[in-house]
Amino acid sequence: MKKKYIWAIALSGVLMGSCTKLEPEFYREVTPETFFQSEKDVLAALNRPFTHASWYMGEDRWRLQEYTADNFAITTKGRHWYNGGENERYHYHRWTPDDGWIWGSWRGTLMGVALALDTKQDLEKLDYSKFALTQEDKDAHLNQLNTLAAYFYLRGLDYFGGMPIFTSLDQESLPRNTDQELFSHIEGILKEALTKLKKKQAGETEEGVLKQAAAASMLAQLYFNAEAYIGKPMYTEAQQLAQAIINGEYGTYTLDATWNGPHGFANDRSPEIIWSIPSQFNRLQYSWFYADFYHYNTREYFNTDMGANNGAHLTPSRKPDSTLYKADFQLGSPFETFDNTDLRKKPYKYLGNGGYEGMFLNGPHVSPAGAVIKGGEEYKDQPLVFRDQVARFSEVGPGKKYSSIAQLESKMSTGEENTGVRPVKVPIPPLSENTLRWGADNPVIRLAEIYYMLAECKWRAGDRAGAADLINSVRKRNFPGGVDPNPVTAANLDQDRFLDEWSIEFLGEGRRRTDLIRWKVFTSGRWWDHQPSGSAHLNRFPVPTEAISGNNNLTQNPGY
């Protein structure tokens, strides 16, 4: 029976407003058996679903994780960024089933599953010996695709709870499976993958291939958050897997010696990376965040030709009068949660030949070469000074709206063009070294996460000293000479410190909402300009209106 092969795939049922069927639009009709002529063709097909994963790991998915939590915000800046109140709805937890980021994430999840399933069905039919490939190669390829589908479903479970479980492209109008059914489906895929994926060997570079440790890490993540997903704590199971990964049972990995090793231009050689998505200038480039984070004129600081739209920034650590929010509530304040001697807290500076230091743009915006960057809105033609504060400081003074700083409000609607600290976790080279642009791969899973996961499991089991040792083994690389001025101890490692440590190490890596939910503070915690709703149903997003309108068998999540 012939199977139409999708080369340029467009999932019309997913993209065009319904989720009734994973139905591809065919651009050419050939059978897989005749299309594949070489190992290169096999690998090209295998890699296609991973290009979707590259897109999926940013944009709407990142926004749902970070702008709904305590570390990031898109404030209204004068005439810019109100966006019909969209940014405020997410910050205040007032989203609806009609919001675009939610629809994009539901659609993108099932699209990823469809791409993985389609490629798997094609590769299953091939005789790998014709391409000088082995049965072991075939098992690894098929289980990479299974594991990738499990990854998409794992994220879908996190965002929405139960989703329809597709096992082929021919199924139509499926109802949602239960949370437990989807959990078990993911678990089964990953357990099988552990026996058939290949292991990473010492010294092997990370090129985006899913190996045993990646599947083990996803399974650990599933168990780690099981209480939120299915109401059943499974920290013991997560601990066993995390320990096995650290022990090297699923491949050879070690912590990187430097904080920026997992994030820099050569991070494909970092021994810490368990799974990353390759990036290269104009080829699957990891760059979606650039326009959101940086000021219109920050291109002068980076000495690059790329423009930005000055939207996102860290939530403020300080009130308009410069006192700390940490005195009032523990969550948020991401910049001031870093110790002052932390190497990452330095201003970002490119040092040449791929080297750089620091991770933030804060304070006077003066380029490494000494050029003073000026504003274009509230501070037009004036030196830009980024503030770890949110307020209309430009409207204070004689004859202006406010007579003193004490009158200023700090909320989502009172930003300015210089509002907020800007992270630079992915290095930006100048034009003179433009061949490096977007050369840093996107680290999806790294060993530091496994250390922190194991630490939290130990902490929950009562081993606070063991948990502290694990966190300190990561923290020490962030300080000159490895001297940590504020190490974690059994005595100071409480819930607040743990949440701070997750925030510091994984700032901006698209996971904060999940961490807050696991610690049961996403709907009960307070942070800058955010009061707790107390509505636990907000731990899940609604099923989008567009999905339900295309499939009457889909049911809405409670509370929406």
Side-chain angles (χ1 to χ4, degrees):
M1 196 168 87
K2 287 189 176 181
K3 161 82 165 59
K4 299 175 181 177
Y5 180 70
I6 308 163
W7 183 250
I9 188 168
L11 300 165
S12 59
V14 177
L15 284 174
M16 302 307 294
S18 76
C19 284
T20 61
K21 182 179 180 180
L22 298 185
E23 181 180 354
E25 179 181 331
F26 300 109
Y27 287 81
R28 60 187 301 177
E29 293 188 16
V30 296
T31 62
E33 294 86 344
T34 59
F35 178 83
F36 293 97
Q37 299 295 318
S38 66
E39 179 184 358
K40 182 179 179 181
D41 295 332
V42 173
L43 295 178
L46 175 67
N47 289 334
R48 174 60 187 93
F50 287 86
T51 66
H52 177 74
S54 177
W55 164 81
Y56 182 86
M57 289 165 190
E59 303 192 19
D60 290 351
R61 274 63 51 202
W62 190 95
R63 292 167 184 143
L64 289 183
Q65 284 286 73
E66 298 291 358
Y67 294 140
T68 63
D70 60 331
N71 281 343
F72 285 86
I74 303 175
T75 53
T76 300
K77 301 171 183 64
R79 62 195 178 105
H80 298 290
W81 283 107
Y82 178 65
N83 282 17
E86 176 183 51
N87 301 317
E88 293 185 4
R89 286 199 302 278
Y90 286 106
H91 185 82
Y92 297 139
H93 291 190
R94 297 172 186 164
W95 51 76
T96 75
D98 298 319
D99 276 313
W101 298 351
I102 295 170
W103 165 235
S105 296
W106 175 278
R107 178 185 66 180
T109 298
L110 292 181
M111 183 178 179
V113 172
L115 284 163
L117 283 176
D118 181 73
T119 304
K120 178 189 171 188
Q121 289 175 8
D122 282 344
L123 297 188
E124 280 176 328
K125 294 187 173 82
L126 298 182
D127 179 355
Y128 265 49
S129 66
K130 292 181 179 180
F131 311 107
L133 295 170
T134 67
Q135 184 62 43
E136 182 185 17
D137 292 325
K138 185 173 185 178
D139 287 343
H141 289 175
L142 296 179
N143 278 278
Q144 279 197 66
L145 295 166
N146 283 339
T147 301
L148 186 60
Y151 171 80
F152 288 121
Y153 268 138
L154 177 60
R155 301 312 311 143
L157 177 65
D158 189 275
Y159 294 134
F160 302 106
M163 299 186 78
I165 296 176
F166 288 92
T167 56
S168 78
L169 298 179
D170 302 321
Q171 296 165 293
E172 297 186 56
S173 300
L174 293 182
R176 295 176 67 187
N177 288 82
T178 65
D179 305 340
Q180 180 63 64
E181 287 168 343
L182 184 55
F183 184 98
S184 298
H185 180 67
I186 297 165
E187 181 183 35
I189 290 174
L190 295 175
K191 282 184 172 181
E192 180 180 2
L194 288 180
T195 68
K196 294 183 179 178
L197 291 175
K198 296 181 179 180
K199 289 184 181 181
K200 178 186 176 183
Q201 305 302 315
E204 196 173 357
T205 58
E206 169 53 41
E207 299 177 342
V209 176
L210 284 165
K211 296 188 175 175
Q212 279 189 17
S217 298
M218 292 179 201
L219 188 58
Q221 291 170 345
L222 181 71
Y223 293 149
F224 192 48
N225 294 289
E227 187 172 11
Y229 296 159
I230 58 172
K232 177 184 176 183
M234 298 184 71
Y235 295 107
T236 300
E237 292 85 347
Q239 179 173 337
Q240 291 169 350
L241 274 168
Q243 187 67 68
I245 295 167
I246 291 171
N247 291 347
E249 293 180 26
Y250 298 106
T252 304
Y253 303 88
T254 58
L255 291 173
D256 205 298
T258 63
W259 73 265
N260 56 6
H263 307 289
F265 297 110
N267 65 346
D268 59 329
R269 297 192 294 274
S270 171
E272 183 171 318
I273 301 297
I274 292 175
W275 180 37
S276 65
I277 299 295
S279 175
Q280 189 176 339
F281 189 26
N282 290 330
R283 292 184 62 191
L284 294 181
Q285 61 189 37
Y286 174 37
S287 62
W288 65 269
F289 52 85
Y290 180 92
D292 287 358
F293 285 173
Y294 304 125
H295 188 274
Y296 320 108
N297 297 332
T298 295
R299 63 181 181 274
E300 299 171 32
Y301 183 90
F302 291 139
N303 189 18
T304 186
D305 57 356
M306 297 182 293
N309 54 36
N310 197 35
H313 52 81
L314 301 186
T315 54
S317 303
R318 295 181 180 274
K319 303 175 186 178
D321 66 4
S322 295
T323 57
L324 291 170
Y325 281 114
K326 283 283 191 184
D328 298 331
F329 44 80
Q330 184 64 25
L331 292 172
S333 300
F335 185 69
E336 285 300 333
T337 302
F338 286 80
D339 287 286
N340 287 333
T341 60
D342 194 314
L343 295 169
R344 295 167 294 185
K345 203 173 184 180
K346 287 184 176 184
Y348 170 81
K349 181 179 180 182
Y350 188 73
L351 303 175
N353 296 316
Y356 66 100
E357 66 180 19
M359 203 172 78
F360 297 104
L361 302 179
N362 186 42
H365 205 30
V366 180
S367 77
V372 176
I373 315 301
K374 295 183 179 180
E377 296 289 330
E378 292 90 353
Y379 300 94
K380 184 175 176 59
D381 298 326
Q382 300 178 50
L384 267 179
V385 180
F386 289 120
R387 292 175 177 265
D388 191 15
Q389 297 163 287
V390 175
R392 299 289 296 174
F393 292 97
S394 63
E395 298 178 356
V396 176
K400 296 186 177 181
K401 185 174 181 178
Y402 304 103
S403 60
S404 71
I405 286 175
Q407 294 177 305
L408 291 177
E409 291 184 286
S410 183
K411 55 185 181 179
M412 286 288 289
S413 61
T414 62
E416 296 184 316
E417 66 175 311
N418 65 342
T419 288
V421 176
R422 316 302 172 92
V424 192
K425 205 156 192 177
V426 180
I428 312 294
L431 282 172
S432 60
E433 296 186 41
N434 212 34
T435 55
L436 290 175
R437 187 188 292 188
W438 312 129
D441 296 341
N442 182 359
V444 184
I445 304 172
R446 53 193 182 94
L447 191 63
E449 177 186 354
I450 309 304
Y451 269 70
Y452 276 50
M453 192 183 302
L454 179 58
E456 186 175 320
C457 291
K458 284 179 175 287
W459 185 90
R460 290 177 182 275
D463 183 6
R464 297 196 172 195
D469 288 343
L470 285 161
I471 294 174
N472 287 332
S473 64
V474 179
R475 276 183 60 94
K476 65 183 180 182
R477 68 186 178 189
N478 303 313
F479 301 95
V483 180
D484 185 344
N486 183 26
V488 176
T489 67
N492 67 24
L493 188 55
D494 57 9
Q495 175 175 316
D496 290 337
R497 180 67 186 259
F498 231 124
L499 282 164
D500 281 351
E501 293 302 327
W502 278 110
S503 172
I504 292 167
E505 180 61 30
F506 299 96
L507 183 69
E509 295 190 35
R511 62 170 299 127
R512 187 59 172 172
R513 167 188 157 275
T514 299
D515 291 332
L516 296 185
I517 290 173
R518 189 179 62 258
W519 284 95
K520 301 179 181 178
V521 295
F522 184 62
T523 60
S524 64
R526 181 186 172 201
W527 53 86
W528 171 77
D529 195 29
H530 178 91
Q531 296 296 324
S533 67
S535 300
H537 78 276
L538 294 171
N539 287 330
R540 296 210 174 138
F541 294 109
V543 179
T545 298
E546 291 193 57
I548 292 176
S549 67
N551 180 359
N552 291 330
N553 289 323
L554 294 178
T555 57
Q556 185 56 271
N557 277 329
Y560 292 104

